[in-house]
Amino acid sequence: MTFKNISLRIKLTFITTIIMIVISVVLTVVSVFNANVGFSRIMARTDNLTYDSSYGSEDMAEDKVINDGNGEIGVKNPYDWGSSLISPFNNRGDVGKIPTEGVTETVKAVDMFKATAIVYMVIIIIIGSIFIYLILGKILKPVKELSSQVGIINENKLSQRVSGVNSGDEIGELAHSFNTMLDRLDKAFESQKRFSSDAAHELKTPLTALKTNLDILSIDEEPSDDDYKRTVAIFRKQTERMISLVNNLFILSAQKEYEFNDIVNLDIMIEEIIGDLEGEIKDKNISISLSKNNISIQGNYTMITHALGNIIQNAIKYNNEYGNVFISTEEDNGRCIIRVRDNGIGISEDKVEHIFDAFYRVDQSRSRKIAGAGLGLAITKDIVNRHGGEIRYFPNEEGGSIFEITLPLIN
Ligand code: ADP
């Protein structure tokens, strides 16, 4: 077991105990050292000192004049050994008059002081460590609680939240952040699930159409050429629908990475897109115009074509017969703005917030007549975001829709 694997409580107790030991030892050593220095000073001074011979007779407790042979150097009570500058030992013969018990007492007191200091130090360390261990247990209880609650949350329990950790400290903050992260994960998982089931549903529709038409053909004992032709036509249409759906799903999948190195002239690109949509434009007698500005951006040519193509195609698809589509590009504050304005059926206010969600179609019954799976705007938004831009919807005051794409210009 390494230090890393030890519980936080033990680790912190260990570290604080080490700090406590170091501080206590330093303090004890300093105080014992000071006691020794004080005692040595007393011993050293006595070598040069004489004392008043009247000392020790009538008034033992009185202060006495001490001199060093040259004159007075101080007045001391010789019994006051704790603070005295003198010692009873000296170079002269009156040693016997100085109370030698006082010296012994001092030595004993110093030894006693050392022993007591060490014993107290050990006691303080032991009690301190136990105290720290208990306090840490209380402080770290919410962490334990948090970790046990987090431990039981898995992909099937993403709606569960961490509760009971309401402290305003870092642990409370951690629990709050964890719950916020769970909210996001829960939403992401839900939308992934919805996406998969919508994708399955969208694929199921053409597959069911294929199977139904095959069944009809196989029931017929002698199918005519027309029956075959009709079935082949249905097969072609449904297969194309599936291919387009799978392609779109592929583009939307987060795994698909692409380069952003192409320099794209927007006027040229938009003209190409309009050219590709010529058939649909003519079918509906749409009048389409582009106000050119010769702006170039950097990105992935195919993906930007796909994104702009979706928006322009929608402006035609969801337009009325003889409707208008205006496309403009302009520079604004180091960014490029592409606007696609139509005077078609528009989108009601309450539906706008969902139009960029995958598989969302505003009016299911009306949209059914118009080809699409509700992936176009989701794909466009994804592409625009990956290029560092954004897409927004505005209602056209004259009726219809305005889609505005903002992209960074080339640096
Ligand atoms: P779809 O494949 O259905 O066209 P999109 O993601 O491109 O999917 O669009 C989502 C929905 O938004 C469409 O079904 C349509 O109802 C609505 N929509 C998109 N563009 C327009 C537009 N220009 N005018 C009116 N409605 C639009």
Side-chain angles (χ1 to χ4, degrees), residues 294-366:
N294 199 28
I295 298 171
S296 292
I297 56 162
Q298 187 173 343
N300 184 289
Y301 190 90
T302 314
M303 289 301 139
I304 298 174
T305 308
H306 205 89
L308 291 182
N310 281 338
I311 301 295
I312 298 169
Q313 191 178 32
N314 279 352
I316 300 162
K317 267 193 334 189
Y318 300 103
N319 213 326
N320 306 308
E321 192 105 353
Y322 296 99
N324 296 313
V325 176
F326 303 97
I327 307 166
S328 66
T329 57
E330 68 176 79
E331 271 186 42
D332 181 52
N333 258 334
R335 294 177 80 79
C336 139
I337 301 173
I338 306 153
R339 279 195 197 90
V340 179
R341 182 155 55 96
D342 68 64
N343 61 349
I345 60 175
I347 301 170
S348 59
E349 219 181 304
D350 56 318
K351 305 283 166 63
V352 169
E353 63 170 315
H354 300 293
I355 56 172
F356 295 105
D357 294 348
F359 298 106
Y360 183 80
R361 305 199 79 193
V362 171
D363 184 341
Q364 290 293 348
S365 57
R366 189 170 52 179

Coordinates of all heavy atoms in Angstrom, one line a residue, residues 294-366:
N294 N -18.3 39.8 -52.9 CA -17.0 39.2 -53.1 C -16.2 38.9 -51.8 O -15.1 39.3 -51.6 CB -16.1 40.2 -54.0 CG -14.9 39.4 -54.6 OD1 -15.0 38.2 -54.8 ND2 -13.9 40.1 -54.8
I295 N -16.9 38.2 -50.9 CA -16.3 37.9 -49.6 C -15.9 36.4 -49.6 O -16.6 35.5 -50.1 CB -17.4 38.0 -48.5 CG1 -17.8 39.5 -48.4 CG2 -16.8 37.6 -47.1 CD1 -19.0 39.7 -47.5
S296 N -14.7 36.2 -49.1 CA -14.2 34.8 -49.0 C -14.0 34.5 -47.5 O -13.7 35.3 -46.7 CB -12.8 34.7 -49.7 OG -13.0 34.9 -51.0
I297 N -14.2 33.2 -47.2 CA -14.0 32.7 -45.8 C -13.2 31.4 -45.9 O -13.0 30.9 -47.0 CB -15.3 32.4 -45.1 CG1 -16.2 31.4 -45.9 CG2 -16.1 33.7 -44.8 CD1 -17.3 30.8 -45.1
Q298 N -12.7 31.0 -44.8 CA -11.9 29.8 -44.7 C -12.7 28.7 -44.0 O -13.3 28.9 -43.0 CB -10.6 30.0 -44.0 CG -9.7 28.8 -44.1 CD -8.3 29.1 -43.5 OE1 -8.0 30.2 -43.2 NE2 -7.6 28.0 -43.2
G299 N -12.7 27.5 -44.6 CA -13.4 26.4 -44.0 C -13.4 25.2 -44.9 O -12.5 25.0 -45.7
N300 N -14.4 24.3 -44.6 CA -14.5 23.1 -45.4 C -15.5 23.3 -46.5 O -16.7 23.5 -46.2 CB -14.9 21.9 -44.5 CG -14.9 20.6 -45.3 OD1 -15.8 20.4 -46.2 ND2 -13.9 19.8 -45.0
Y301 N -15.0 23.3 -47.8 CA -15.9 23.6 -48.9 C -17.1 22.8 -49.0 O -18.3 23.3 -49.1 CB -15.1 23.5 -50.2 CG -15.8 24.0 -51.4 CD1 -15.6 25.4 -51.8 CD2 -16.6 23.3 -52.2 CE1 -16.2 25.9 -52.9 CE2 -17.3 23.8 -53.2 CZ -17.1 25.1 -53.6 OH -17.8 25.6 -54.7
T302 N -17.0 21.5 -48.9 CA -18.1 20.6 -49.0 C -19.2 20.9 -47.9 O -20.4 20.9 -48.1 CB -17.7 19.1 -48.9 OG1 -16.5 19.0 -49.7 CG2 -18.7 18.1 -49.3
M303 N -18.7 21.1 -46.7 CA -19.6 21.3 -45.5 C -20.3 22.6 -45.6 O -21.5 22.7 -45.3 CB -18.8 21.2 -44.2 CG -18.3 19.8 -43.9 SD -19.7 18.7 -43.8 CE -19.1 17.2 -44.6
I304 N -19.6 23.6 -46.0 CA -20.2 25.0 -46.1 C -21.3 24.9 -47.2 O -22.4 25.5 -47.1 CB -19.2 26.1 -46.3 CG1 -18.3 26.2 -45.1 CG2 -19.9 27.4 -46.5 CD1 -17.1 27.2 -45.3
T305 N -20.9 24.2 -48.3 CA -21.9 24.1 -49.4 C -23.2 23.4 -48.9 O -24.3 23.8 -49.2 CB -21.3 23.2 -50.6 OG1 -20.1 23.8 -50.9 CG2 -22.2 23.2 -51.8
H306 N -22.9 22.3 -48.1 CA -24.1 21.6 -47.5 C -24.9 22.5 -46.6 O -26.2 22.5 -46.7 CB -23.5 20.4 -46.7 CG -24.4 19.3 -46.5 ND1 -24.4 18.2 -47.4 CD2 -25.3 19.0 -45.6 CE1 -25.4 17.4 -47.1 NE2 -25.9 17.8 -46.0
A307 N -24.3 23.3 -45.8 CA -25.0 24.1 -44.8 C -25.8 25.2 -45.6 O -27.0 25.3 -45.4 CB -24.0 24.8 -43.9
L308 N -25.2 25.9 -46.5 CA -25.9 27.0 -47.2 C -26.9 26.4 -48.1 O -28.0 26.9 -48.3 CB -24.9 27.8 -48.0 CG -23.9 28.7 -47.2 CD1 -23.0 29.5 -48.2 CD2 -24.7 29.6 -46.3
G309 N -26.6 25.2 -48.7 CA -27.5 24.5 -49.6 C -28.8 24.2 -48.8 O -29.9 24.4 -49.4
N310 N -28.7 23.7 -47.6 CA -29.9 23.4 -46.8 C -30.8 24.6 -46.6 O -32.0 24.5 -46.8 CB -29.5 22.9 -45.4 CG -29.1 21.4 -45.4 OD1 -29.4 20.7 -46.3 ND2 -28.3 21.0 -44.4
I311 N -30.2 25.7 -46.3 CA -31.0 26.9 -46.0 C -31.6 27.5 -47.3 O -32.8 27.8 -47.3 CB -30.0 28.0 -45.4 CG1 -29.4 27.6 -44.1 CG2 -30.8 29.3 -45.2 CD1 -30.3 27.3 -43.0
I312 N -30.9 27.5 -48.4 CA -31.4 28.0 -49.6 C -32.5 27.1 -50.1 O -33.6 27.5 -50.6 CB -30.3 28.2 -50.7 CG1 -29.3 29.3 -50.1 CG2 -30.9 28.6 -52.0 CD1 -28.0 29.4 -50.9
Q313 N -32.3 25.7 -50.0 CA -33.3 24.8 -50.4 C -34.6 24.9 -49.6 O -35.7 24.8 -50.2 CB -32.7 23.4 -50.3 CG -33.6 22.3 -51.0 CD -33.0 20.9 -50.9 OE1 -32.3 20.6 -49.9 NE2 -33.3 20.1 -51.9
N314 N -34.4 25.1 -48.3 CA -35.6 25.3 -47.5 C -36.4 26.6 -47.9 O -37.6 26.6 -47.9 CB -35.2 25.5 -46.0 CG -35.0 24.1 -45.3 OD1 -35.2 23.1 -45.9 ND2 -34.4 24.1 -44.1
A315 N -35.6 27.6 -48.2 CA -36.3 28.9 -48.6 C -37.1 28.6 -49.9 O -38.1 29.4 -50.1 CB -35.3 30.0 -48.9
I316 N -36.8 27.7 -50.7 CA -37.5 27.3 -51.9 C -38.7 26.3 -51.5 O -39.8 26.5 -51.9 CB -36.6 26.7 -53.0 CG1 -35.5 27.7 -53.4 CG2 -37.4 26.2 -54.2 CD1 -34.3 27.1 -54.0
K317 N -38.3 25.3 -50.7 CA -39.2 24.2 -50.3 C -40.4 24.8 -49.6 O -41.6 24.4 -49.8 CB -38.5 23.2 -49.4 CG -37.9 22.1 -50.1 CD -37.5 20.9 -49.2 CE -37.1 21.0 -47.8 NZ -36.5 19.8 -47.2
Y318 N -40.1 25.7 -48.6 CA -41.2 26.2 -47.7 C -41.7 27.5 -48.2 O -42.1 28.4 -47.5 CB -40.7 26.2 -46.3 CG -40.3 24.8 -45.8 CD1 -39.0 24.5 -45.7 CD2 -41.3 23.9 -45.5 CE1 -38.6 23.2 -45.3 CE2 -41.0 22.6 -45.1 CZ -39.6 22.3 -45.0 OH -39.3 21.0 -44.6
N319 N -41.7 27.7 -49.6 CA -42.1 29.0 -50.1 C -43.4 28.7 -50.9 O -43.8 27.6 -51.2 CB -41.0 29.5 -51.1 CG -41.0 31.0 -51.1 OD1 -42.1 31.6 -51.0 ND2 -39.8 31.6 -51.2
N320 N -44.1 29.8 -51.3 CA -45.3 29.6 -52.1 C -44.9 29.7 -53.6 O -43.8 30.2 -53.9 CB -46.2 30.8 -51.8 CG -46.5 30.9 -50.3 OD1 -46.9 29.9 -49.6 ND2 -46.3 32.0 -49.7
E321 N -45.8 29.3 -54.4 CA -45.6 29.4 -55.8 C -45.4 30.9 -56.1 O -46.0 31.7 -55.6 CB -46.9 28.9 -56.5 CG -46.7 28.7 -58.0 CD -46.6 27.2 -58.3 OE1 -46.5 26.3 -57.4 OE2 -46.7 26.9 -59.5
Y322 N -44.4 31.1 -57.0 CA -44.1 32.5 -57.4 C -43.5 33.3 -56.2 O -43.6 34.5 -56.2 CB -45.2 33.3 -58.0 CG -45.7 32.7 -59.3 CD1 -46.8 31.8 -59.4 CD2 -45.0 32.9 -60.5 CE1 -47.2 31.2 -60.5 CE2 -45.4 32.3 -61.7 CZ -46.5 31.4 -61.7 OH -46.9 30.8 -62.9
G323 N -43.0 32.6 -55.3 CA -42.4 33.3 -54.1 C -41.0 33.9 -54.4 O -40.4 33.7 -55.5
N324 N -40.5 34.6 -53.5 CA -39.1 35.3 -53.7 C -38.1 34.8 -52.6 O -38.5 34.5 -51.5 CB -39.3 36.8 -53.5 CG -40.1 37.4 -54.5 OD1 -40.0 37.1 -55.7 ND2 -41.1 38.2 -54.1
V325 N -36.9 34.7 -53.1 CA -35.8 34.4 -52.1 C -34.7 35.4 -52.4 O -34.3 35.6 -53.5 CB -35.3 32.9 -52.4 CG1 -34.1 32.7 -51.5 CG2 -36.4 31.9 -52.1
F326 N -34.3 36.1 -51.3 CA -33.2 37.1 -51.4 C -32.0 36.6 -50.6 O -32.1 36.3 -49.4 CB -33.6 38.5 -50.9 CG -34.8 39.0 -51.6 CD1 -36.1 38.9 -51.0 CD2 -34.7 39.7 -52.8 CE1 -37.2 39.4 -51.6 CE2 -35.8 40.2 -53.4 CZ -37.1 40.0 -52.8
I327 N -30.8 36.5 -51.3 CA -29.6 36.1 -50.5 C -28.6 37.2 -50.6 O -28.4 37.9 -51.6 CB -29.0 34.8 -51.2 CG1 -30.1 33.7 -51.4 CG2 -27.8 34.3 -50.4 CD1 -29.6 32.6 -52.3
S328 N -28.0 37.5 -49.4 CA -27.0 38.6 -49.3 C -25.9 38.2 -48.5 O -26.0 37.4 -47.6 CB -27.7 39.9 -48.8 OG -28.0 39.7 -47.4
T329 N -24.7 38.7 -48.8 CA -23.5 38.5 -48.0 C -22.9 39.9 -47.6 O -22.9 40.8 -48.5 CB -22.4 37.7 -48.7 OG1 -22.1 38.4 -49.9 CG2 -22.9 36.3 -49.1
E330 N -22.5 40.0 -46.4 CA -21.9 41.3 -46.0 C -20.8 41.1 -44.9 O -20.9 40.1 -44.2 CB -22.9 42.3 -45.6 CG -23.6 42.0 -44.3 CD -24.6 43.1 -43.8 OE1 -25.7 43.1 -44.4 OE2 -24.2 43.9 -43.0
E331 N -19.9 42.1 -44.8 CA -18.9 42.1 -43.8 C -19.3 42.9 -42.6 O -19.9 44.0 -42.9 CB -17.6 42.6 -44.3 CG -16.7 41.6 -45.0 CD -15.3 42.2 -45.4 OE1 -14.8 42.9 -44.6 OE2 -14.9 41.8 -46.5
D332 N -19.1 42.5 -41.4 CA -19.5 43.3 -40.3 C -18.6 42.9 -39.1 O -18.6 41.8 -38.6 CB -21.0 43.0 -39.9 CG -21.4 43.8 -38.7 OD1 -21.2 45.1 -38.8 OD2 -21.9 43.3 -37.8
N333 N -17.8 43.9 -38.7 CA -16.9 43.7 -37.5 C -16.0 42.5 -37.6 O -15.9 41.7 -36.7 CB -17.8 43.6 -36.3 CG -17.8 44.9 -35.5 OD1 -16.8 45.6 -35.6 ND2 -18.8 45.1 -34.7
G334 N -15.4 42.3 -38.7 CA -14.5 41.1 -38.9 C -15.2 39.8 -39.1 O -14.6 38.8 -39.0
R335 N -16.5 39.9 -39.2 CA -17.2 38.7 -39.5 C -18.0 38.8 -40.8 O -18.3 39.9 -41.2 CB -18.2 38.4 -38.3 CG -17.3 38.0 -37.1 CD -18.2 37.8 -35.9 NE -18.8 36.5 -35.8 CZ -18.2 35.4 -35.4 NH1 -16.9 35.4 -35.1 NH2 -18.8 34.2 -35.3
C336 N -18.5 37.7 -41.3 CA -19.2 37.7 -42.5 C -20.7 37.3 -42.2 O -20.9 36.3 -41.4 CB -18.5 36.8 -43.5 SG -19.6 35.9 -44.5
I337 N -21.6 38.0 -42.7 CA -23.0 37.7 -42.4 C -23.7 37.3 -43.7 O -23.7 38.0 -44.7 CB -23.8 38.8 -41.8 CG1 -23.1 39.3 -40.5 CG2 -25.3 38.5 -41.5 CD1 -23.7 40.5 -39.9
I338 N -24.3 36.1 -43.7 CA -25.0 35.6 -44.9 C -26.5 35.5 -44.5 O -26.9 34.9 -43.5 CB -24.6 34.2 -45.3 CG1 -23.0 34.1 -45.5 CG2 -25.3 33.7 -46.6 CD1 -22.4 32.8 -45.3
R339 N -27.3 36.2 -45.3 CA -28.8 36.2 -45.0 C -29.6 35.6 -46.1 O -29.3 35.9 -47.3 CB -29.3 37.6 -44.8 CG -29.0 38.2 -43.4 CD -29.8 39.4 -43.1 NE -29.2 40.0 -41.9 CZ -28.2 41.0 -42.0 NH1 -27.8 41.4 -43.2 NH2 -27.7 41.5 -41.0
V340 N -30.5 34.7 -45.7 CA -31.3 34.1 -46.7 C -32.8 34.4 -46.3 O -33.3 34.0 -45.3 CB -31.1 32.5 -46.8 CG1 -32.1 31.9 -47.8 CG2 -29.7 32.2 -47.1
R341 N -33.4 35.3 -47.1 CA -34.7 35.8 -46.8 C -35.8 35.2 -47.8 O -35.5 35.3 -49.0 CB -34.7 37.3 -46.8 CG -36.0 38.0 -46.4 CD -35.7 39.4 -45.9 NE -34.9 40.2 -46.9 CZ -35.4 41.0 -47.8 NH1 -36.7 41.2 -47.8 NH2 -34.7 41.7 -48.6
D342 N -36.9 34.7 -47.3 CA -37.9 34.2 -48.2 C -39.2 34.8 -47.8 O -39.4 35.3 -46.6 CB -38.0 32.7 -48.3 CG -38.4 32.1 -47.0 OD1 -39.6 32.3 -46.6 OD2 -37.6 31.3 -46.4
N343 N -40.2 34.8 -48.7 CA -41.5 35.3 -48.2 C -42.5 34.2 -48.3 O -43.7 34.3 -48.7 CB -42.0 36.5 -49.1 CG -42.1 36.2 -50.6 OD1 -41.6 35.1 -51.0 ND2 -42.7 37.0 -51.4
G344 N -42.0 33.0 -47.8 CA -42.8 31.8 -47.8 C -43.8 31.6 -46.7 O -44.3 32.6 -46.1
I345 N -43.9 30.4 -46.2 CA -44.9 30.1 -45.2 C -44.5 30.5 -43.8 O -45.4 30.6 -42.9 CB -45.3 28.6 -45.2 CG1 -44.1 27.7 -44.8 CG2 -45.9 28.2 -46.5 CD1 -44.4 26.2 -44.7
G346 N -43.3 30.8 -43.6 CA -42.8 31.2 -42.2 C -42.9 30.1 -41.2 O -43.3 29.0 -41.4
I347 N -42.5 30.5 -40.0 CA -42.5 29.5 -38.8 C -43.1 30.2 -37.7 O -42.8 31.3 -37.3 CB -41.0 29.1 -38.5 CG1 -40.4 28.4 -39.7 CG2 -41.1 28.1 -37.3 CD1 -38.9 28.2 -39.5
S348 N -44.2 29.6 -37.1 CA -44.9 30.2 -35.9 C -43.9 30.4 -34.7 O -43.1 29.5 -34.5 CB -46.1 29.5 -35.6 OG -45.8 28.2 -35.2
E349 N -44.1 31.4 -34.0 CA -43.2 31.8 -32.9 C -43.0 30.7 -31.9 O -41.8 30.5 -31.5 CB -43.8 33.0 -32.2 CG -42.8 34.0 -31.7 CD -43.5 35.2 -31.0 OE1 -44.4 35.8 -31.6 OE2 -43.1 35.4 -29.9
D350 N -44.0 29.9 -31.6 CA -43.8 28.9 -30.6 C -43.0 27.7 -31.1 O -42.6 26.8 -30.3 CB -45.2 28.4 -30.1 CG -46.1 28.0 -31.2 OD1 -46.1 28.6 -32.3 OD2 -46.8 26.9 -31.0
K351 N -42.8 27.6 -32.4 CA -42.1 26.4 -32.9 C -40.6 26.8 -33.1 O -39.8 25.9 -33.3 CB -42.7 26.0 -34.3 CG -44.2 25.7 -34.2 CD -44.4 24.3 -33.6 CE -45.8 24.1 -33.2 NZ -46.8 24.0 -34.2
V352 N -40.3 28.1 -33.2 CA -39.0 28.5 -33.6 C -37.9 27.8 -32.7 O -36.8 27.4 -33.2 CB -38.8 30.0 -33.5 CG1 -37.4 30.5 -33.6 CG2 -39.7 30.7 -34.6
E353 N -38.1 27.7 -31.4 CA -37.0 27.2 -30.5 C -36.6 25.8 -30.9 O -35.5 25.3 -30.5 CB -37.4 27.3 -29.1 CG -38.6 26.5 -28.7 CD -38.8 26.5 -27.2 OE1 -37.8 26.3 -26.4 OE2 -39.9 26.6 -26.7
H354 N -37.4 25.0 -31.6 CA -37.1 23.6 -31.9 C -36.5 23.4 -33.3 O -36.1 22.3 -33.6 CB -38.3 22.7 -31.7 CG -38.9 22.8 -30.3 ND1 -38.3 22.3 -29.2 CD2 -40.1 23.3 -29.9 CE1 -39.0 22.5 -28.2 NE2 -40.1 23.1 -28.5
I355 N -36.6 24.4 -34.1 CA -36.3 24.1 -35.5 C -34.9 23.6 -35.8 O -34.6 23.0 -36.8 CB -36.6 25.3 -36.5 CG1 -35.8 26.5 -36.0 CG2 -38.1 25.6 -36.6 CD1 -35.9 27.7 -37.0
F356 N -33.9 23.9 -34.9 CA -32.6 23.4 -35.1 C -32.4 22.0 -34.4 O -31.3 21.5 -34.4 CB -31.6 24.4 -34.5 CG -31.6 25.7 -35.3 CD1 -32.1 26.8 -34.7 CD2 -31.0 25.8 -36.6 CE1 -32.2 28.0 -35.4 CE2 -31.0 27.0 -37.3 CZ -31.6 28.1 -36.7
D357 N -33.4 21.4 -33.8 CA -33.3 20.1 -33.2 C -33.4 19.0 -34.4 O -34.2 19.2 -35.3 CB -34.5 19.8 -32.2 CG -34.4 20.7 -31.0 OD1 -33.3 21.4 -30.8 OD2 -35.4 20.8 -30.3
A358 N -32.7 18.0 -34.2 CA -32.7 16.9 -35.2 C -34.1 16.3 -35.3 O -34.7 16.1 -34.3 CB -31.6 15.8 -34.9
F359 N -34.5 16.0 -36.5 CA -35.8 15.3 -36.8 C -37.0 16.2 -36.4 O -38.1 15.7 -36.4 CB -35.9 14.0 -36.0 CG -34.9 13.0 -36.5 CD1 -33.8 12.7 -35.6 CD2 -34.9 12.4 -37.7 CE1 -32.8 11.8 -36.0 CE2 -33.9 11.5 -38.1 CZ -32.9 11.2 -37.3
Y360 N -36.8 17.5 -36.2 CA -38.0 18.3 -35.9 C -38.5 18.9 -37.2 O -37.8 19.5 -38.0 CB -37.6 19.4 -34.9 CG -38.8 20.3 -34.5 CD1 -39.7 19.8 -33.6 CD2 -39.0 21.5 -35.2 CE1 -40.8 20.6 -33.2 CE2 -40.1 22.3 -34.8 CZ -41.0 21.8 -33.9 OH -42.1 22.5 -33.6
R361 N -39.8 18.7 -37.4 CA -40.5 19.4 -38.5 C -41.6 20.2 -38.0 O -42.4 19.7 -37.2 CB -40.9 18.3 -39.5 CG -39.8 17.3 -39.9 CD -40.1 16.6 -41.2 NE -39.9 17.4 -42.4 CZ -40.4 17.1 -43.6 NH1 -41.0 16.0 -43.8 NH2 -40.1 18.0 -44.6
V362 N -41.8 21.4 -38.4 CA -42.8 22.3 -37.8 C -44.2 21.8 -37.9 O -44.9 21.6 -36.9 CB -42.7 23.7 -38.4 CG1 -43.8 24.6 -38.0 CG2 -41.3 24.3 -38.1
D363 N -44.6 21.5 -39.1 CA -45.9 21.0 -39.3 C -45.9 19.6 -39.9 O -45.7 19.5 -41.1 CB -46.7 22.0 -40.2 CG -48.2 21.7 -40.4 OD1 -48.5 20.5 -40.1 OD2 -48.9 22.6 -40.8
Q364 N -46.1 18.6 -39.1 CA -45.9 17.3 -39.6 C -46.8 16.9 -40.8 O -46.3 16.4 -41.8 CB -46.2 16.3 -38.5 CG -45.2 16.2 -37.3 CD -43.8 15.7 -37.8 OE1 -43.7 15.2 -38.8 NE2 -42.8 15.9 -36.9
S365 N -48.1 17.3 -40.7 CA -49.0 16.9 -41.8 C -48.6 17.7 -43.1 O -48.5 17.1 -44.2 CB -50.4 17.2 -41.5 OG -50.6 18.6 -41.2
R366 N -48.3 19.0 -43.0 CA -47.9 19.7 -44.2 C -46.5 19.3 -44.7 O -46.3 19.2 -45.9 CB -47.9 21.2 -43.9 CG -47.8 22.1 -45.1 CD -48.1 23.5 -44.8 NE -47.3 24.0 -43.7 CZ -47.3 25.3 -43.3 NH1 -48.1 26.1 -43.9 NH2 -46.5 25.7 -42.3

